[in-house]
Amino acid sequence: MIRLLFVFLTLTSPAYAVQPDEVLQDPVLEERARDISTGLRCLVCRNESIDESNAELARDLRILLRERLVAGDTDQEAVDFIVDRYGEYVLLKPTASGANLLLWLAGPVMLLIAGAVGLNFIRNRSKTQSTVPSGSDTLTQEEQARLRQILED
């Protein structure tokens, strides 16, 4: 039973790519490094954090982050240093300010515009259908006579 529990816990835990030589001796600093690195994107793997990636660049970022923490940087200072060096793309959750605000708002705005256009289309279509009479009484007497003549020829 204990073995089964151990296997289950091992398989369900996140897969960290942190190498033993990267781990800091101070457990508090190591925990801070792990917390920060889960929010930093691997620039090679795109949608993996640097903690999960085996790429060489992710390893370099993990080491750089740990060096900054050992040097005495706060969490925010360490993240700011990496963002200044690699750009805001390195953040898995970019900030919603400045130019990024336009990107954050573009999706909901486009959804509202599409909804308004769709609603307007449906309203106009129902109005058009209700104003067009159906059946053969829509033709005038002359048009009906001309139609009969064309069909007979």
Side-chain angles (χ1 to χ4, degrees), residues 86-144:
Y86 293 97
E88 201 167 318
Y89 181 73
V90 77
L91 297 176
L92 278 172
K93 293 180 183 174
T95 60
S97 63
N100 286 343
L101 188 58
L102 178 65
L103 295 173
W104 281 95
L105 295 177
V109 168
M110 294 303 282
L111 180 65
L112 290 174
I113 291 171
V117 168
L119 186 62
N120 190 29
F121 175 77
I122 291 171
R123 276 193 199 153
N124 287 340
R125 189 179 69 179
S126 64
K127 287 180 186 176
T128 304
Q129 287 176 351
S130 65
T131 58
V132 175
S134 60
S136 63
D137 56 347
T138 60
L139 299 176
T140 64
Q141 293 293 337
E142 294 121 15
E143 291 170 336
Q144 288 178 3

Side-chain angles (χ1 to χ4, degrees), residues 10-28:
T10 304
L11 293 176
T12 59
S13 66
Y16 293 117
V18 177
Q19 303 299 315
D21 62 330
E22 297 173 32
V23 177
L24 296 173
Q25 296 298 323
D26 184 359
V28 174

Side-chain angles (χ1 to χ4, degrees), residues 1-57:
M1 182 67 174
I2 294 177
R3 288 182 185 172
L4 181 63
L5 181 63
F6 177 74
V7 169
F8 177 73
L9 290 175
T10 304
L11 293 176
T12 59
S13 66
Y16 293 117
V18 177
Q19 303 299 315
D21 62 330
E22 297 173 32
V23 177
L24 296 173
Q25 296 298 323
D26 184 359
V28 174
L29 282 179
E30 180 60 28
E31 184 64 31
R32 283 178 55 203
R34 292 283 175 110
D35 288 342
I36 296 170
S37 63
T38 57
L40 297 175
R41 178 190 321 268
C42 172
L43 300 172
V44 176
C45 306
R46 304 284 166 105
N47 283 331
E48 283 186 347
S49 72
I50 62 172
D51 231 12
E52 300 165 339
S53 175
N54 286 318
E56 193 63 34
L57 182 59

